[in-house]
Amino acid sequence: MTTSITGHSASDELPGPDGRAPLHGDGAGTGRMGDRLFGGAATASGILVIALVTLVGVFLVAQAIPALQANQASFLTSREWSTAGADPRFGIVDLLWATVVTSIIAMAIAVPLGVAIALFITQYAPAWLSRPAAATIDLLAAVPSIVFGFWGLTIAGQYFEPFAKVVDGALRWLPFFSYDGTPSAKSTLAFAGVILAIMVLPIVTAISREVFAQVPTPHKEGALALGATQWEMIRTAVLPFGKPGVISAAMLGLGRALGETLAVTILLSALNDGSAFSSSIFNGGATFASKIALGIQEANTATSTGALIAAGLVLFVLTFVVNAIARIVIERRKAFSE
């Protein structure tokens, strides 16, 4: 074995099995220890999140089962909600309808508008305009939900009444759009959906903007070089690349819309007990979140508390299913694109 001038043997200078230069002293051990620590911390964080979600689900199920066993009506099909007395009767049909309707209205407005704003900021607007525009949209996310609720109730709601009457006059033959003036238009599912759309807009816009900004420049330049117009380049290069991101943005926004509490509680007009079911979006109601917020003050018995927890369990499962479907869609899009 030969020895170099520096005192290290020749074999000490040979590269490792992976072809890289060998590490000497404490460097190799420190690097491997850091990797192990980081990997362990990341694994522990993932396990902690899964454990927390599981514990929340177990808690909701355990607290809801006694109330469900005492329920004298069908929890999934009944429109009643009376948890007082010895024979409680409660169901989630009205709650599910209001939650789904307001969320669909919110997403129908927020997703196209958010994608359009993101495309304008990333593809059309000059630099001096794109940054202030993005910051302005992002500021909406910092506004508390209770402010949106009061703003809609006191200011924006008065302009929604004429719109509801116009829609009723044009589409009254459709049961979804009939409006007889009761309740006030600003206390209906439709207007609550509009306010939710404003609240969801920053989420959809921010994520879509970041995805569209990551489109490879050669893809866009190649489309333009082949003679595509600006819109054709966006349609063939930008939108296909950003579709998984837009889906993710929409699902995150949907999760926000499903669980919003304060703004919806302030706006929606609760239905009277025993009132007939109406499929119109210009009707009052209560979502899962608003029902829990309004009913928690009167939850003075184990059954009434358990009924609200059961409603929360349904919302928990609904949100989980929505996110699972979004994950499946995104993974399929990735597999298709590869």
Side-chain angles (χ1 to χ4, degrees):
M1 179 183 296
T2 59
T3 303
S4 63
I5 299 176
T6 59
H8 296 288
S9 64
S11 60
D12 291 339
E13 303 299 329
L14 294 176
D18 57 357
R20 293 180 294 181
L23 296 175
H24 299 287
D26 296 333
T30 303
R32 288 193 294 269
M33 180 61 69
D35 290 342
R36 287 196 294 269
L37 290 175
F38 180 80
T43 303
S45 300
I47 295 175
L48 177 62
V49 171
I50 296 174
L52 289 175
V53 173
T54 303
L55 290 175
V56 169
V58 171
F59 167 80
L60 293 175
V61 171
Q63 295 296 317
I65 286 178
L68 293 175
Q69 290 176 338
N71 187 15
Q72 301 300 312
S74 174
F75 180 67
L76 298 178
T77 60
S78 175
R79 297 183 58 241
E80 300 179 76
W81 192 272
S82 176
T83 58
D87 297 321
R89 302 179 64 88
F90 54 90
I92 61 168
V93 170
D94 286 345
L95 303 181
L96 182 62
W97 170 256
T99 302
V100 171
V101 167
T102 53
S103 299
I104 290 177
I105 294 173
M107 302 315 298
I109 298 173
V111 173
L113 185 59
V115 172
I117 294 173
L119 288 175
F120 170 76
I121 292 174
T122 58
Q123 307 299 324
Y124 289 99
W128 62 269
L129 178 60
S130 61
R131 293 178 181 176
T136 302
I137 297 297
D138 291 343
L139 281 176
L140 289 176
V143 179
S145 58
I146 192 171
V147 174
F148 281 109
F150 279 118
W151 172 74
L153 187 66
T154 59
I155 298 177
Q158 59 185 325
Y159 302 104
F160 195 73
E161 187 87 26
F163 172 78
K165 293 180 179 179
V166 170
V167 173
D168 174 66
L171 301 173
R172 189 175 182 82
W173 52 279
L174 292 174
F176 296 107
F177 301 103
S178 62
Y179 177 59
D180 58 4
T182 304
S184 174
K186 62 185 178 182
S187 300
T188 60
L189 300 176
F191 186 64
V194 172
I195 298 301
L196 285 178
I198 299 175
M199 299 174 65
V200 167
L201 185 62
I203 299 175
V204 179
T205 303
I207 298 178
S208 300
R209 185 181 71 239
E210 293 299 324
V211 173
F212 293 152
Q214 300 301 319
V215 178
T217 302
H219 291 188
K220 297 189 291 185
E221 293 179 346
L224 295 173
L226 292 174
T229 63
Q230 183 76 359
W231 165 243
E232 290 173 340
M233 180 272 293
I234 292 174
R235 183 169 57 85
T236 58
V238 177
L239 290 179
F241 181 89
K243 182 173 287 188
V246 172
I247 295 174
S248 300
M251 293 302 103
L252 286 176
L254 180 57
R256 169 73 186 276
L258 289 172
E260 176 53 38
T261 304
L262 284 179
V264 177
T265 303
I266 293 171
L267 292 173
L268 281 180
S269 175
L271 298 175
N272 296 325
D273 293 337
S275 60
F277 175 78
S278 174
S279 60
S280 174
I281 63 175
F282 297 109
N283 193 26
T287 64
F288 285 108
S290 66
K291 186 66 176 181
I292 294 172
L294 291 173
I296 197 65
Q297 298 178 353
E298 302 176 358
N300 48 15
T301 64
T303 302
S304 58
T305 303
L308 295 176
I309 291 177
L313 175 62
V314 176
L315 181 59
F316 177 83
V317 173
L318 183 62
T319 306
F320 184 84
V321 170
V322 166
N323 284 277
I325 293 175
R327 174 59 55 187
I328 293 173
V329 172
I330 293 172
E331 291 299 329
R332 291 187 62 183
R333 290 296 309 177
K334 287 182 179 180
F336 178 78
S337 61
E338 293 175 356

